[in-house]
Amino acid sequence: DAKTTQPNSMESNEEEPVHLPCNHSTISGTDYIHWYRQLPSQGPEYVIHGLTSNVNNRMASLAIAEDRKSSTLILHRATLRDAAVYYCILRDSGNQGGKLIFGQGTELSVKP
Amino acid sequence: DAGITQSPRHKVTETGTPVTLRCHQTENHRYMYWYRQDPGHGLRLIHYSYGVKDTDKGEVSDGYSVSRSKTEDFLLTLESATSSQTSVYFCAISELIYGYTFGSGTRLTVV
């Protein structure tokens, strides 16, 4: 399974944009880039995923580098409720089960 | 979470007893997964299923078995619970083109 590298922690101010980076230099052509977040005392929550093109949804945007070796999750306007651990994971769509292997993620804190 | 439920939500059991955790979905997703989460280890995959009666091992499968006799249910069994299996267990469902949906978790304490 291809690995991802994320900073252990990041800080942000409320109502400002947040850019969470992820490196995945060994990504293969069939790997989708997935992002999840986990709020305190809750299960992980799907945020967004993409293959090659940038993606937007109501929660966030995903910017994927042209060579796909890195990506950035963008929260356009952080709120206190966005404080969570954010996981960047590669999911092999060509592999049976397409299982997600979680790393340690980035712990995002949001200051008022 | 909508479409996926885990039971029980909390359980305390004694060392050496068998325990079964249940994951039930109403989404008709093909794939189902069991993870455990411990402080300092993050989420680790125990077993997963890619169809009825089709299962495979994950990263930390020793001491666990699973069964999936119908699409909607995925059972995780600890044949003889040990204190090292005290953890929070999460079930997840998915189709390949979509993201995962996780359950609310089962907090298991083995005393």
Side-chain angles (χ1 to χ4, degrees), chain A residues 5-111:
Chain A
T5 304
Q6 300 177 252
N8 289 333
S9 61
M10 291 184 64
E11 277 190 354
S12 173
N13 294 317
E14 195 175 14
E15 299 188 4
E16 291 186 355
V18 182
H19 290 236
L20 296 162
C22 181
N23 288 317
H24 29 79
S25 58
T26 60
I27 191 170
S28 72
T30 55
D31 285 336
Y32 279 79
I33 302 159
H34 280 240
W35 284 84
Y36 292 79
R37 71 180 186 181
Q38 187 171 23
L39 280 65
S41 301
Q42 294 189 27
E45 175 187 28
Y46 167 79
V47 177
I48 201 167
H49 77 286
L51 184 62
T52 56
S53 304
N54 295 343
V55 184
N56 301 293
N57 66 20
R58 62 175 180 81
M59 290 182 69
S61 295
L62 176 60
I64 302 173
E66 195 169 335
D67 64 3
R68 302 213 318 130
K69 294 183 184 300
S70 65
S71 61
T72 302
L73 179 70
I74 303 166
L75 307 179
H76 295 285
R77 199 159 165 257
T79 70
L80 297 178
R81 289 175 294 178
D82 290 323
V85 178
Y86 287 78
Y87 297 97
C88 168
I89 309 165
L90 301 182
R91 185 182 191 188
D92 186 355
S93 63
N95 189 21
Q96 205 168 39
K99 56 189 183 291
L100 294 178
I101 302 299
F102 284 77
Q104 295 302 310
T106 296
E107 184 168 10
L108 176 68
S109 57
V110 181
K111 297 183 291 184

Side-chain angles (χ1 to χ4, degrees), chain B residues 24-110:
Chain B
H24 178 78
Q25 63 151 326
T26 57
E27 303 294 326
N28 201 37
H29 283 337
R30 177 181 176 188
Y31 300 98
M32 299 185 76
Y33 311 82
W34 277 107
Y35 288 86
R36 62 178 287 175
Q37 187 168 34
D38 307 291
H41 285 281
L43 282 134
R44 292 180 291 175
L45 181 65
I46 305 171
H47 281 280
Y48 64 101
S49 170
Y50 44 93
V52 173
K53 298 186 179 178
D54 290 324
T55 65
D56 206 348
K57 297 178 180 179
E59 306 167 271
V60 289
S61 59
D62 288 347
Y64 302 94
S65 63
V66 291
S67 66
R68 190 166 178 205
S69 59
K70 46 187 178 178
T71 300
E72 56 265 37
D73 288 324
F74 192 33
L75 304 179
L76 177 70
T77 297
L78 292 66
E79 300 292 346
S80 177
T82 67
S83 59
S84 64
Q85 293 175 312
T86 292
S87 187
V88 180
Y89 291 85
F90 289 102
C91 176
I93 61 175
S94 177
E95 288 293 349
L96 271 182
I97 61 172
Y98 302 131
Y100 280 30
T101 301
F102 284 81
S104 300
T106 294
R107 185 173 296 276
L108 176 68
T109 303
V110 183

